[in-house]
Amino acid sequence: MFASDISDQAIETARTARYPTSIAADVDDRRLRHYFTRVDDGYQVARALREQCIFSRHNLLDDPPFSRLDLISCRNVLIYLDTVQRAIIPLFHYALRDPGFLVLGHSESAHFPELFTLVEPRFRLYARRSGVRRAGRQAAPSLSTRRAAIVPPPIDEASSGGEPDVDRQAYMLLLSRYSPPSVLVDEHLYVLEIRGRPSPLLALSAGPASHHLVRLVADIGLFREIEAVVRAAAASGQPERREHVTVHHDLLDHHFDVDVVPLGQAGRRAYLITLEPADAAAAVESTAPLASQLADAERRTVRLSSALALAQQHVIEVIASHASSDVANQQVTEDALSSNEELHCLAEELETAKEELLSTNEELITVNRDLEARNVALTAARDLGRSIIETVRAPLVVVDEDCIVRNVNASFTRAFGADAASMEGRPLAAGDGGAWDIPQLHGLLQALIADGGRSTKSRSNADPRAARRGRCW
């Protein structure tokens, strides 16, 4: 799940997911208990639910769209982007998988019936139409980049005294009517603005609508000249001029001076292209009747040869660019194939490691079961031994090879008034307050251990307590 916004502050607010206590009026108790956690100042969405959502800053106009989404909810956003709605809806179609759904606000609609079908008018729910070619992003600059290009300052509607600025309006009117035809383009030759009086050489041609300059310039030769001047201005960063550019249009030869002025800064570079009629004397001289048709044919041949050379140079550049792109694409494809093979090898290694882990886990389960069975048997044997010791009527003390008391029976505690808890688990000499620290007894026990456990008897009558102790040797 992706949650995006153009504002970093809005993203941070959404990431914290805190709401006031007043949401209890709109959210039932079951959802509050299941999806929210009570905090000091209200409610917060449960951590498990927040971790399922990826919050990211995303600009619909600039950033590449997401892909292979099941649902896009874009409510009450397009109403603020009225001029670019038709560019955003195809991006939504590209981002959705098939089938996919789009949810818009009540005042919004998808303007492309060939891309989306309205499923639920009440909630403005649209379904992505299948069988339609995915509408990818164009190679052109983003809409916001074009929109943010250099724009002339706005005209003040009123002076400081509140009266209309008549002089400024008259200046702008004369500028728009009598200035030479000019076009403001970006670094990719996409038209940002058209100024000056109209020209028959600047008109949209038949075909799909496009903002590229090639669709606006009627003569391809003129476009080649303009493109070359723009390229030179981009390389030098200074205004460039091409004089006496001849264009054959409507059975007539037109002569222009092409000026290109770079505007803006790096990253947002724009170019102002001006088409100004060539010098009148030169134009008259060039259009005057020639002495012979041969001279006219030679001049036309030279012009066509120049245009052909320009076209050939452009084709060579395009071919070289495509060849470079093909090489880069080939390299990317090979890298992708190599990465894919590495991923396959890694997947096989992981599968082998998984099988080994499963086998080891089975062995560990088997060993664990064997240990549990042995533990149960040892517990049963210990309980049986304790029962046997308790049934012996004579006082009995069981010690190990380190003379640590392991068990005493009830007859022992009754006969000597000793506490079983103070005896068991401690050295015999330290038991019962040190009363059993008898050197003769310890010597006999060491000899018994050294002799391999053969039974022996001994009695001590050193004092009455020692005589009583002698019963258990």
mmCIF file of all heavy atoms in Angstrom, residues 110-129:
data_model
loop_
_atom_site.group_PDB
_atom_site.id
_atom_site.type_symbol
_atom_site.label_atom_id
_atom_site.label_comp_id
_atom_site.label_asym_id
_atom_site.label_seq_id
_atom_site.Cartn_x
_atom_site.Cartn_y
_atom_site.Cartn_z
ATOM 1 N N ALA A 110 -13.168 10.812 -15.089
ATOM 2 C CA ALA A 110 -12.146 10.389 -16.058
ATOM 3 C C ALA A 110 -12.647 10.715 -17.459
ATOM 4 O O ALA A 110 -13.707 10.251 -17.879
ATOM 5 C CB ALA A 110 -11.870 8.893 -15.912
ATOM 6 N N HIS A 111 -11.890 11.519 -18.197
ATOM 7 C CA HIS A 111 -12.350 12.036 -19.490
ATOM 8 C C HIS A 111 -12.011 11.104 -20.656
ATOM 9 O O HIS A 111 -12.140 11.505 -21.807
ATOM 10 C CB HIS A 111 -11.726 13.412 -19.745
ATOM 11 C CG HIS A 111 -12.047 14.429 -18.695
ATOM 12 N ND1 HIS A 111 -13.278 15.021 -18.584
ATOM 13 C CD2 HIS A 111 -11.286 14.935 -17.686
ATOM 14 C CE1 HIS A 111 -13.270 15.880 -17.578
ATOM 15 N NE2 HIS A 111 -12.068 15.843 -17.009
ATOM 16 N N PHE A 112 -11.573 9.889 -20.358
ATOM 17 C CA PHE A 112 -11.164 8.971 -21.414
ATOM 18 C C PHE A 112 -12.013 7.701 -21.341
ATOM 19 O O PHE A 112 -11.657 6.742 -20.640
ATOM 20 C CB PHE A 112 -9.674 8.612 -21.268
ATOM 21 C CG PHE A 112 -8.748 9.759 -21.536
ATOM 22 C CD1 PHE A 112 -8.458 10.675 -20.541
ATOM 23 C CD2 PHE A 112 -8.177 9.922 -22.776
ATOM 24 C CE1 PHE A 112 -7.602 11.731 -20.777
ATOM 25 C CE2 PHE A 112 -7.313 10.983 -23.021
ATOM 26 C CZ PHE A 112 -7.032 11.891 -22.029
ATOM 27 N N PRO A 113 -13.157 7.681 -22.033
ATOM 28 C CA PRO A 113 -13.989 6.472 -21.983
ATOM 29 C C PRO A 113 -13.299 5.264 -22.603
ATOM 30 O O PRO A 113 -13.673 4.132 -22.310
ATOM 31 C CB PRO A 113 -15.239 6.877 -22.775
ATOM 32 C CG PRO A 113 -14.805 8.030 -23.647
ATOM 33 C CD PRO A 113 -13.761 8.752 -22.855
ATOM 34 N N GLU A 114 -12.292 5.506 -23.453
ATOM 35 C CA GLU A 114 -11.582 4.361 -24.033
ATOM 36 C C GLU A 114 -10.604 3.748 -23.036
ATOM 37 O O GLU A 114 -10.106 2.639 -23.263
ATOM 38 C CB GLU A 114 -10.828 4.786 -25.297
ATOM 39 C CG GLU A 114 -9.655 5.711 -25.067
ATOM 40 C CD GLU A 114 -10.054 7.173 -24.962
ATOM 41 O OE1 GLU A 114 -11.277 7.438 -24.868
ATOM 42 O OE2 GLU A 114 -9.170 8.031 -24.974
ATOM 43 N N LEU A 115 -10.317 4.451 -21.921
ATOM 44 C CA LEU A 115 -9.388 3.938 -20.918
ATOM 45 C C LEU A 115 -10.083 3.421 -19.667
ATOM 46 O O LEU A 115 -9.622 2.457 -19.044
ATOM 47 C CB LEU A 115 -8.383 5.034 -20.528
ATOM 48 C CG LEU A 115 -7.499 5.606 -21.644
ATOM 49 C CD1 LEU A 115 -6.562 6.655 -21.086
ATOM 50 C CD2 LEU A 115 -6.722 4.494 -22.327
ATOM 51 N N PHE A 116 -11.195 4.061 -19.264
ATOM 52 C CA PHE A 116 -11.872 3.691 -18.026
ATOM 53 C C PHE A 116 -13.376 3.576 -18.251
ATOM 54 O O PHE A 116 -13.955 4.297 -19.082
ATOM 55 C CB PHE A 116 -11.601 4.735 -16.928
ATOM 56 C CG PHE A 116 -10.194 4.711 -16.404
ATOM 57 C CD1 PHE A 116 -9.243 5.577 -16.902
ATOM 58 C CD2 PHE A 116 -9.816 3.807 -15.419
ATOM 59 C CE1 PHE A 116 -7.954 5.563 -16.429
ATOM 60 C CE2 PHE A 116 -8.528 3.784 -14.934
ATOM 61 C CZ PHE A 116 -7.597 4.661 -15.442
ATOM 62 N N THR A 117 -13.981 2.680 -17.507
ATOM 63 C CA THR A 117 -15.435 2.483 -17.521
ATOM 64 C C THR A 117 -15.978 2.833 -16.147
ATOM 65 O O THR A 117 -15.449 2.379 -15.131
ATOM 66 C CB THR A 117 -15.780 1.022 -17.866
ATOM 67 O OG1 THR A 117 -15.213 0.695 -19.132
ATOM 68 C CG2 THR A 117 -17.293 0.837 -17.904
ATOM 69 N N LEU A 118 -17.018 3.650 -16.109
ATOM 70 C CA LEU A 118 -17.638 4.031 -14.848
ATOM 71 C C LEU A 118 -18.426 2.844 -14.290
ATOM 72 O O LEU A 118 -19.385 2.386 -14.908
ATOM 73 C CB LEU A 118 -18.544 5.247 -15.042
ATOM 74 C CG LEU A 118 -19.191 5.820 -13.782
ATOM 75 C CD1 LEU A 118 -18.137 6.256 -12.787
ATOM 76 C CD2 LEU A 118 -20.106 6.992 -14.142
ATOM 77 N N VAL A 119 -18.038 2.357 -13.130
ATOM 78 C CA VAL A 119 -18.667 1.182 -12.520
ATOM 79 C C VAL A 119 -19.732 1.601 -11.517
ATOM 80 O O VAL A 119 -20.838 1.071 -11.511
ATOM 81 C CB VAL A 119 -17.596 0.296 -11.836
ATOM 82 C CG1 VAL A 119 -18.255 -0.888 -11.129
ATOM 83 C CG2 VAL A 119 -16.591 -0.188 -12.849
ATOM 84 N N GLU A 120 -19.379 2.569 -10.653
ATOM 85 C CA GLU A 120 -20.312 3.007 -9.617
ATOM 86 C C GLU A 120 -20.350 4.528 -9.624
ATOM 87 O O GLU A 120 -19.458 5.195 -9.080
ATOM 88 C CB GLU A 120 -19.853 2.482 -8.249
ATOM 89 C CG GLU A 120 -20.725 2.907 -7.082
ATOM 90 C CD GLU A 120 -22.182 2.548 -7.292
ATOM 91 O OE1 GLU A 120 -22.477 1.354 -7.447
ATOM 92 O OE2 GLU A 120 -23.027 3.473 -7.316
ATOM 93 N N PRO A 121 -21.375 5.135 -10.269
ATOM 94 C CA PRO A 121 -21.417 6.602 -10.362
ATOM 95 C C PRO A 121 -21.488 7.284 -9.006
ATOM 96 O O PRO A 121 -20.960 8.376 -8.835
ATOM 97 C CB PRO A 121 -22.692 6.862 -11.189
ATOM 98 C CG PRO A 121 -22.969 5.571 -11.892
ATOM 99 C CD PRO A 121 -22.481 4.491 -10.997
ATOM 100 N N ARG A 122 -22.131 6.646 -8.036
ATOM 101 C CA ARG A 122 -22.313 7.287 -6.740
ATOM 102 C C ARG A 122 -20.978 7.556 -6.052
ATOM 103 O O ARG A 122 -20.777 8.607 -5.437
ATOM 104 C CB ARG A 122 -23.191 6.397 -5.857
ATOM 105 C CG ARG A 122 -23.403 6.934 -4.456
ATOM 106 C CD ARG A 122 -24.223 5.959 -3.639
ATOM 107 N NE ARG A 122 -24.348 6.381 -2.267
ATOM 108 C CZ ARG A 122 -24.891 5.641 -1.302
ATOM 109 N NH1 ARG A 122 -25.381 4.433 -1.594
ATOM 110 N NH2 ARG A 122 -24.956 6.093 -0.067
ATOM 111 N N PHE A 123 -20.053 6.623 -6.161
ATOM 112 C CA PHE A 123 -18.756 6.763 -5.507
ATOM 113 C C PHE A 123 -17.642 7.109 -6.501
ATOM 114 O O PHE A 123 -16.470 7.079 -6.132
ATOM 115 C CB PHE A 123 -18.394 5.468 -4.772
ATOM 116 C CG PHE A 123 -19.371 5.092 -3.695
ATOM 117 C CD1 PHE A 123 -20.272 4.061 -3.900
ATOM 118 C CD2 PHE A 123 -19.408 5.789 -2.502
ATOM 119 C CE1 PHE A 123 -21.180 3.706 -2.922
ATOM 120 C CE2 PHE A 123 -20.307 5.442 -1.516
ATOM 121 C CZ PHE A 123 -21.205 4.405 -1.716
ATOM 122 N N ARG A 124 -17.995 7.416 -7.746
ATOM 123 C CA ARG A 124 -17.023 7.749 -8.786
ATOM 124 C C ARG A 124 -15.952 6.672 -8.889
ATOM 125 O O ARG A 124 -14.743 6.934 -8.880
ATOM 126 C CB ARG A 124 -16.372 9.110 -8.511
ATOM 127 C CG ARG A 124 -17.336 10.226 -8.172
ATOM 128 C CD ARG A 124 -18.369 10.415 -9.250
ATOM 129 N NE ARG A 124 -17.802 10.865 -10.516
ATOM 130 C CZ ARG A 124 -18.497 10.999 -11.633
ATOM 131 N NH1 ARG A 124 -19.787 10.663 -11.663
ATOM 132 N NH2 ARG A 124 -17.918 11.438 -12.724
ATOM 133 N N LEU A 125 -16.379 5.426 -9.004
ATOM 134 C CA LEU A 125 -15.488 4.278 -9.114
ATOM 135 C C LEU A 125 -15.389 3.864 -10.573
ATOM 136 O O LEU A 125 -16.407 3.567 -11.212
ATOM 137 C CB LEU A 125 -16.004 3.107 -8.260
ATOM 138 C CG LEU A 125 -15.212 1.810 -8.341
ATOM 139 C CD1 LEU A 125 -13.799 2.020 -7.813
ATOM 140 C CD2 LEU A 125 -15.909 0.700 -7.570
ATOM 141 N N TYR A 126 -14.160 3.849 -11.093
ATOM 142 C CA TYR A 126 -13.905 3.504 -12.487
ATOM 143 C C TYR A 126 -13.099 2.219 -12.563
ATOM 144 O O TYR A 126 -12.265 1.944 -11.688
ATOM 145 C CB TYR A 126 -13.131 4.621 -13.202
ATOM 146 C CG TYR A 126 -13.913 5.900 -13.383
ATOM 147 C CD1 TYR A 126 -13.968 6.841 -12.367
ATOM 148 C CD2 TYR A 126 -14.582 6.172 -14.571
ATOM 149 C CE1 TYR A 126 -14.679 8.023 -12.523
ATOM 150 C CE2 TYR A 126 -15.285 7.351 -14.735
ATOM 151 C CZ TYR A 126 -15.337 8.267 -13.715
ATOM 152 O OH TYR A 126 -16.037 9.431 -13.878
ATOM 153 N N ALA A 127 -13.345 1.446 -13.604
ATOM 154 C CA ALA A 127 -12.590 0.223 -13.854
ATOM 155 C C ALA A 127 -11.721 0.417 -15.090
ATOM 156 O O ALA A 127 -12.150 1.008 -16.082
ATOM 157 C CB ALA A 127 -13.511 -0.979 -14.045
ATOM 158 N N ARG A 128 -10.505 -0.063 -15.008
ATOM 159 C CA ARG A 128 -9.582 0.023 -16.146
ATOM 160 C C ARG A 128 -10.061 -0.882 -17.273
ATOM 161 O O ARG A 128 -10.350 -2.052 -17.056
ATOM 162 C CB ARG A 128 -8.176 -0.393 -15.708
ATOM 163 C CG ARG A 128 -7.134 -0.275 -16.798
ATOM 164 C CD ARG A 128 -5.788 -0.811 -16.278
ATOM 165 N NE ARG A 128 -4.704 -0.587 -17.201
ATOM 166 C CZ ARG A 128 -4.425 -1.375 -18.232
ATOM 167 N NH1 ARG A 128 -5.145 -2.468 -18.450
ATOM 168 N NH2 ARG A 128 -3.415 -1.101 -19.036
ATOM 169 N N ARG A 129 -10.148 -0.326 -18.464
ATOM 170 C CA ARG A 129 -10.598 -1.108 -19.610
ATOM 171 C C ARG A 129 -9.463 -2.004 -20.080
ATOM 172 O O ARG A 129 -8.325 -1.568 -20.233
ATOM 173 C CB ARG A 129 -11.044 -0.182 -20.754
ATOM 174 C CG ARG A 129 -12.309 0.592 -20.442
ATOM 175 C CD ARG A 129 -12.669 1.485 -21.617
ATOM 176 N NE ARG A 129 -12.946 0.716 -22.818
ATOM 177 C CZ ARG A 129 -14.161 0.287 -23.169
ATOM 178 N NH1 ARG A 129 -15.195 0.562 -22.389
ATOM 179 N NH2 ARG A 129 -14.335 -0.405 -24.279
#
